[in-house]
Amino acid sequence: MTSTEVHIEVDIDEEAIARLPLTQEVQDDFRGRMKQVEAVAIATAPVYTGEFRDSIHLVDEPDPDGTWHVDADADHAYFVEHGTRQVDRNGRSIHRPHYTMSHALDAAGGDH
């Protein structure tokens, strides 16, 4: 049995690749996926006062590179998402992390 060597040359159109995320079709897809992330985050957010849940929203416009964001901009959003080190007198965590936004990204599916 003999082996065959194959050489393939590929010319990459860097300009086309750079423009692709900014095309209307791709932007519509990205925005739709992030609306799903927003919906899942709102549906699964822990509710004590509702302030955290009510602060979750899709940012109105993408970044210049085409990236869309879902934010939770309540003052305490970071602590709801990641928890704190506070413990009760028995050493149990008082404010455990919820990872609402992280789980919403996973639940919405796709590569991210």
Side-chain angles (χ1 to χ4, degrees):
M1 187 178 281
T2 62
S3 64
T4 303
E5 191 171 311
V6 177
H7 294 279
I8 300 174
E9 284 189 38
V10 177
D11 291 327
I12 297 175
D13 186 345
E14 298 286 343
E15 187 177 323
I17 292 171
R19 284 191 318 261
L20 183 63
L22 301 175
T23 62
Q24 190 61 49
E25 295 83 9
V26 172
Q27 282 298 296
D28 289 346
D29 181 61
F30 285 168
R31 188 175 191 288
R33 289 172 186 261
M34 294 311 284
K35 286 299 284 180
Q36 291 176 335
V37 170
E38 176 190 49
V40 170
I42 290 169
T44 61
V47 178
Y48 183 69
T49 66
E51 184 180 359
F52 172 71
R53 179 203 55 219
D54 296 345
S55 77
I56 297 171
H57 64 282
L58 176 65
V59 176
D60 292 335
E61 294 292 325
D63 289 348
D65 68 354
T67 303
W68 285 86
H69 298 273
V70 173
D71 287 344
D73 55 13
D75 290 340
H76 60 291
Y78 180 87
F79 303 108
V80 173
E81 184 74 5
H82 300 288
T84 69
R85 292 186 179 171
Q86 291 178 312
V87 294
D88 65 14
R89 67 180 116 185
N90 298 314
R92 292 182 300 243
S93 181
I94 295 173
H95 302 289
R96 300 179 58 124
H98 288 277
Y99 303 119
T100 304
M101 305 302 275
S102 301
H103 291 156
L105 275 171
D106 289 340
D111 296 327
H112 48 266

